[in-house]
Amino acid sequence: MAKSGEPLTRQRVLEAALRLIDQEGLEGFSMRKLGASLGVEAMSLYNHVESKRAVFDGVIELLIVQAPLPVHPNATPREELWTIAHAFRDVLRAHPRVLPLVATSPLRTSASLVMLDRLLETFHQAQITGVQSIYALQCLVGFIVGHTLIGTGTQAVEGLEPGPNGPMVWQRFPAEQYPRLHTLLPEIVQWNADQEFDFGLQALFQGLFG
């Protein structure tokens, strides 16, 4: 509930919306529940946000501004993008139930466009310009969001229980039919999500920067 006398603002509405999604997921979100969490009627929210869509856009904005931009003036574009990628991933991992929203929504608020413009400027500094810079940006964001989505186990289909993981399935089938899969089973214990993310990011950067 809202504290007595504490004014309702767009920032407070968005922060409450993020908490509600963290707790109940996108499928459990409603403007009525959001209003109740703030101690107001749902209609009062529309004095600060235009619509439910605007709330979701604002929640994405909150995640983006939580990822600090690098402040090292001598950093190379590659170093800067590496830092941004890891910072953004850390924020997404802290809010896995918002990930499907991030994955399917373009940036539409002024604060989130600041990050977008910064990324495009960084690509331009690396001589990746024009439509190529847009391709590069989409590939980078797609990798960060996609890898995090897979790694957190966020369910893309409501109500669908996760099945057994890959190695458990591989063990059920004969080794002579799937020899390479069975050969890799002992290696699975060495798997590390952070190392995998760095491996993929390095591969992407190798293609972008050579």
Side-chain angles (χ1 to χ4, degrees):
M1 288 292 181
K3 295 179 181 179
S4 176
E6 188 175 358
L8 199 61
T9 64
R10 177 179 180 270
Q11 182 71 17
R12 287 192 60 230
V13 170
L14 298 182
E15 289 173 352
L18 178 56
R19 289 193 298 270
L20 182 58
I21 296 172
D22 282 341
Q23 293 166 3
E24 302 195 23
L26 292 168
E27 66 280 3
F29 179 92
S30 71
M31 297 298 281
R32 180 186 59 79
K33 289 182 181 179
L34 178 58
S37 72
L38 289 163
V40 301
E41 295 294 329
M43 290 303 297
S44 299
L45 302 174
Y46 296 106
N47 294 320
H48 307 279
V49 290
E50 295 177 358
S51 62
K52 182 178 178 179
R53 177 71 261 179
V55 171
F56 284 170
D57 289 343
V59 167
I60 295 172
E61 173 190 305
L62 284 184
L63 299 189
I64 288 174
V65 299
Q66 284 181 29
L69 290 170
V71 291
H72 306 294
N74 297 322
T76 66
R78 181 171 184 153
E79 291 169 341
E80 183 166 320
L81 291 170
W82 181 273
T83 300
I84 291 174
H86 282 82
F88 189 38
R89 177 177 178 246
D90 288 343
V91 170
L92 294 179
R93 291 173 82 182
H95 303 279
R97 305 187 83 170
V98 189
L99 268 168
L101 184 63
V102 176
T104 56
S105 304
L107 301 182
R108 284 183 279 240
T109 69
S110 57
S112 58
L113 289 176
V114 170
M115 170 67 87
L116 187 65
D117 191 74
R118 173 69 175 271
L119 287 169
L120 288 171
E121 174 60 27
T122 304
F123 281 120
H124 276 242
Q125 291 175 6
Q127 306 305 311
I128 303 172
T129 59
V131 71
Q132 298 293 325
S133 66
I134 299 175
Y135 295 158
L137 176 63
Q138 291 286 73
C139 287
L140 177 61
V141 174
F143 172 72
I144 298 168
V145 174
H147 187 276
T148 309
L149 185 65
I150 294 172
T152 59
T154 302
Q155 296 181 29
V157 181
E158 181 181 351
L160 180 64
E161 292 297 324
N165 62 28
M168 291 177 62
V169 174
W170 301 351
Q171 290 174 342
R172 298 176 183 176
F173 294 92
E176 60 271 16
Q177 190 172 356
Y178 305 99
R180 182 54 59 191
L181 293 180
H182 278 264
T183 299
L184 287 174
L185 284 174
E187 306 296 330
I188 294 296
V189 296
Q190 301 180 33
W191 178 86
N192 178 278
D194 294 333
Q195 292 178 7
E196 182 181 83
F197 182 77
D198 287 353
F199 177 90
L201 202 58
Q202 288 169 351
L204 178 60
F205 283 8
Q206 183 63 32
L208 290 173
F209 304 112

